[in-house]
Amino acid sequence: YILLQEDNKLIFIDKHAAHERILYNELRENGKGQGVDSQMLLKPIVVSLDKESYSEVTENTPLLEKAGYQVEDFGNGTVIVRSAPVYLDISDVESSVIEIAEYIRDNKMSIDTEYLDWIYHNVACRAAVKAGRKSSEREIKGLVESLEENPNVMYCPHGRPVYIELCKKDIEKQFGRNG
């Protein structure tokens, strides 16, 4: 958590929730244009899928491309991932593709935007700074500045609050003071 003092209040920021929401918003905004920025992988990743998931991925490559993934059919229930969203750590690419395939398989929808929204949420959650991980001062300042620039960021994509505030009066009340 990040703790800030502002005037007569103390602000607790859930850095994972805040970072996740900011990334999610960026992904959605970038996705409205030409798609999410992707990074070409130095070593493509081969992903093995069950029959239905494999089918969903190979039939939805344009959707995955818009979300920042370049995925090609590799045959025999496997696909090869040549690029992934820039936000995503290389170690999360395979499991992310598997989760996306399973989500599409299990949630038959007719609207691509619902799939994309879920994919953006998945990528943002995986890419966001992890709770409990020590952050540098620069990283903390950047996150706080992003929140200041985006005052409408109040909840993460899961619906949890990004921050909570305690005013001096409430703190004093907890200590039995009538301040």
Side-chain angles (χ1 to χ4, degrees):
Y1 296 96
I2 300 170
L3 303 175
L4 299 174
Q5 181 182 351
E6 183 179 274
D7 300 323
N8 283 330
K9 60 186 169 188
L10 191 56
I11 302 168
F12 295 81
I13 300 172
D14 180 332
K15 65 183 179 180
H16 174 77
H19 193 214
E20 181 180 4
R21 176 49 123 187
I22 289 164
L23 290 175
Y24 172 77
N25 288 355
E26 286 178 16
L27 285 162
R28 284 187 66 189
E29 189 59 35
N30 292 343
K32 290 178 184 174
Q34 295 184 358
V36 173
D37 292 333
S38 65
Q39 58 185 336
M40 187 65 73
L41 303 176
L42 290 175
K43 183 179 176 189
I45 297 172
V46 177
V47 180
S48 296
L49 301 161
D50 64 53
K51 187 178 179 178
E52 284 184 68
S53 296
Y54 168 75
S55 221
E56 293 299 346
V57 168
T58 56
E59 291 170 13
N60 286 286
T61 54
L63 176 76
L64 289 165
E65 194 169 305
K66 188 163 175 76
Y69 295 88
Q70 182 188 1
V71 179
E72 297 172 10
D73 186 347
F74 202 56
N76 297 324
T78 59
V79 294
I80 189 163
V81 182
R82 298 197 181 278
S83 63
V86 294
Y87 302 95
L88 204 56
D89 189 271
I90 189 80
S91 64
D92 286 328
V93 172
E94 180 178 4
S95 57
S96 177
V97 169
I98 291 169
E99 278 185 23
I100 291 166
E102 290 171 352
Y103 180 80
I104 294 171
R105 180 195 69 204
D106 296 342
N107 297 278
K108 299 289 184 191
M109 294 176 227
S110 59
I111 303 172
D112 284 353
T113 54
E114 290 181 42
Y115 288 134
L116 277 172
D117 195 59
W118 186 90
I119 294 170
Y120 297 155
H121 179 199
N122 181 279
V123 170
C125 188
R126 289 172 172 278
V129 63
K130 302 301 177 232
R133 184 179 70 79
K134 188 174 171 101
S135 298
S136 68
E137 186 176 331
R138 188 172 135 222
E139 188 176 41
I140 291 169
K141 283 182 179 179
L143 190 54
V144 170
E145 287 170 2
S146 291
L147 287 174
E148 288 173 345
E149 292 168 7
N150 298 283
N152 58 338
V153 171
M154 299 173 72
Y155 299 95
C156 78
H158 298 99
R160 292 189 308 266
V162 167
Y163 63 89
I164 57 171
E165 297 179 354
L166 288 175
C167 64
K168 184 177 179 183
K169 184 176 94 177
D170 292 335
I171 295 170
E172 288 177 341
K173 185 177 177 182
Q174 292 294 317
F175 285 105
R177 298 178 182 217
N178 295 331

